Amino acid sequence: VQLQASGGGVVRHGDSLKLSCAASGRTFDRHALAWFRQGPGKEREFVAAITRSGGTTKYSDSVKGRFTISRDNAKKTVYLQMNSLKPEDTGVYYCAARETILTMPILDDATDYFRWGQGTLVTVSS
């Protein structure tokens, strides 16, 4: 699959934003999906992941309770709903995908993913 992320922008502390990542290709429903981000001067870090079935999700501690990852296999799209945004959430957000088997545990390391979108910039002002 090929991935195209969108939805980034400039928001204020406490605002919400929803990112989308649309995929092309016919095997979207066989892919585990994730969002990573890279803040200014920082390493890329895990944000959230979802299994190919959508039945299991995982979040980094820094976003747990504020962000929600979801997928729509019919639309071949993965979403990241971000609420209560903080300045430290600022960064380029990347969606990632990897074809997996149904029994694969959820993946939260960047090296586990082979397909990446181009990134969308989120800026949260204080």
Side-chain angles (χ1 to χ4, degrees):
V1 295
Q2 291 185 320
L3 304 171
Q4 180 76 34
S6 63
V10 180
V11 296
R12 293 184 176 182
H13 189 172
D15 283 353
S16 297
L17 201 60
K18 187 173 186 177
L19 305 183
S20 299
C21 178
S24 61
R26 294 181 291 178
T27 60
F28 180 80
D29 58 352
R30 298 209 299 258
H31 284 71
L33 303 162
W35 289 94
F36 291 79
R37 69 185 180 190
Q38 187 165 14
K42 298 181 181 179
E43 298 288 321
R44 188 173 298 191
E45 64 173 351
F46 169 74
V47 175
I50 188 167
T51 52
R52 57 179 270 181
S53 70
T56 302
T57 57
K58 184 175 182 178
Y59 301 91
S60 68
D61 289 342
S62 61
V63 308
K64 198 174 296 181
R66 300 188 297 122
F67 290 14
T68 302
I69 188 171
S70 61
R71 64 188 296 161
D72 186 333
N73 286 347
K75 295 182 178 179
K76 298 181 182 179
T77 301
V78 59
Y79 304 98
L80 186 67
Q81 176 67 48
M82 305 185 294
N83 299 329
S84 302
L85 281 161
K86 305 175 181 179
E88 51 264 43
D89 293 320
T90 293
V92 178
Y93 282 70
Y94 299 90
C95 53
R98 171 185 169 154
E99 189 166 355
T100 66
I101 58 175
L102 276 173
T103 54
M104 178 79 76
I106 199 158
L107 305 170
D108 62 1
D109 192 287
T111 60
D112 292 326
Y113 292 89
F114 305 143
R115 303 290 185 184
W116 291 83
Q118 86 290 359
T120 185
L121 178 62
V122 174
T123 303
V124 185
S125 63
S126 57

